[in-house]
Amino acid sequence: MVKPKVLILKTAGTNCDLETAFAFETAGAAPEAVHINELARGERRLADFQILAISGGFSYGDDISAGKILANELKYKLFDDLRAFIQRERLIIGICNGFQVLVKAGLLPGHAACAQEATLAPNDCGVFQDKWVHLKVEESRCVWTRGCPEVIYLPIAHGEGKFIPKSEEILTRLRENRQVVFRYGDDKGKTGDYPVNPNGSIDAIAGICDETGRVFGLMPHPERHLISLQHPRWTRLGTKRHGDGFQIFLNAVNYFK
Ligand SMILES: NC(=O)CC[C@H](N)C(=O)O
């Protein structure tokens, strides 16, 4: 089987591209880091890849707001390519800074609208949150989370993670369309106030997908829990090899089988 090719998008400030590439390679894909300028200048083509991954970091130093400048580059230089990419049954994942980019480019929750329908704002607690969280995996249309257990454990590391939909109508649409993928919860998956909800996200939303289920954005870092040795209490996990994040990358590879 030919391995699906993954474009790992890079720019100034991206800092999770290597571990994201490792996660895809471990799952059986063929990742390659491509700088946004190479795409913007037409030196590389998005259409040559099956998966686009926008990894975490501090693109352009989080200037203006986290992900905003890279979002504008996607929106004003690559939007038609991106929309064609999605319409051609390809997959997109935005992890942390990548999620902020997809939302601020108008690609999540609904790219057809081209307009920004939500944002990721500074954490209510006012400080950077760098810890592990439990996530309730919701029944959703997202192809990236098929077969995931009901509650998973992943690390977060962000200052601007508060998910805020633009209106009550958009929030209702996300719920009714099964586009809410992850919610922050306790070890039983029950949502709650801080610190169970680390940033004050509306409806405890930690990850969403678009209407197709193929574009997925999340604040937690699945690439940082790829193997059980990354788990804070890994010694209690025995010989369990894969971490809770691995299934997400494996689903993307299996999508093209
Ligand atoms: N780990 C990340 O991608 C961080 C995202 C962004 N720089 C923030 O602090 O919110």
Side-chain angles (χ1 to χ4, degrees):
M1 183 204 92
V2 176
K3 293 182 176 183
K5 291 177 67 180
V6 187
L7 190 159
I8 310 277
L9 190 64
K10 271 187 70 78
T11 192
T14 307
N15 68 13
C16 302
D17 46 300
L18 291 180
E19 55 267 49
T20 303
F22 178 73
F24 276 109
E25 198 165 8
T26 308
E32 181 183 354
V34 177
H35 195 283
I36 180 78
N37 290 343
E38 294 178 272
L39 290 175
R41 289 194 294 252
E43 294 162 9
R44 303 301 305 274
R45 292 176 352 114
L46 184 57
D48 293 340
F49 296 83
Q50 284 73 45
I51 301 169
L52 168 64
I54 310 177
S55 63
F58 295 75
S59 54
Y60 302 109
D62 282 0
D63 288 357
I64 300 182
S65 75
K68 184 65 180 174
I69 297 172
L70 185 52
N72 282 350
E73 288 192 289
L74 294 188
K75 186 168 181 173
Y76 297 109
K77 296 180 183 174
L78 295 166
F79 206 85
D80 291 343
D81 291 351
L82 285 159
R83 210 156 36 178
F85 189 78
I86 296 164
Q87 284 161 0
R88 269 210 307 276
E89 294 278 322
R90 304 293 168 85
L91 300 183
I92 298 180
I93 187 169
I95 300 170
C96 200
N97 199 220
F99 183 22
Q100 294 159 337
V101 170
L102 290 174
V103 166
K104 295 177 183 181
L107 284 162
L108 274 179
H111 45 81
C114 308
Q116 189 172 343
E117 295 185 302
T119 194
L120 287 143
N123 302 335
D124 275 355
C125 57
V127 293
F128 195 88
Q129 290 289 290
D130 185 0
K131 61 181 184 180
W132 285 67
V133 294
H134 289 98
L135 297 162
K136 172 76 168 58
V137 181
E138 301 295 352
E139 283 296 316
S140 78
R141 59 179 59 215
C142 184
V143 303
W144 289 83
T145 53
R146 286 172 179 160
C148 284
E150 200 175 333
V151 180
I152 61 173
Y153 195 50
L154 294 177
I156 59 170
H158 58 254
E160 301 178 38
K162 180 177 183 178
F163 181 78
I164 306 173
K166 195 173 182 178
S167 67
E168 196 59 38
E169 291 71 31
I170 289 171
L171 178 57
T172 302
R173 192 185 83 209
L174 287 175
R175 287 170 176 157
E176 290 177 354
N177 269 0
R178 297 186 302 116
Q179 288 178 247
V180 177
V181 183
F182 287 155
R183 284 190 170 90
Y184 298 107
D186 61 17
D187 58 349
K188 303 286 187 298
K190 189 172 176 309
T191 55
D193 296 332
Y194 186 84
V196 171
N197 180 337
N199 47 41
S201 288
I202 303 301
D203 201 12
I205 290 173
I208 62 171
C209 66
D210 74 334
E211 305 96 331
T212 70
R214 296 194 299 273
V215 183
F216 177 34
L218 67 164
M219 284 311 292
H221 287 260
E223 78 285 5
R224 297 184 186 181
H225 191 197
L226 195 70
I227 55 176
S228 54
L229 287 178
Q230 292 170 293
H231 189 292
R233 291 178 294 284
W234 65 273
T235 50
R236 298 186 204 159
L237 296 173
T239 55
K240 180 171 178 276
R241 196 167 69 87
H242 292 309
D244 291 354
F246 179 71
Q247 186 68 36
I248 290 169
F249 298 99
L250 187 63
N251 284 337
V253 172
N254 290 340
Y255 184 81
F256 294 96
K257 277 184 175 166

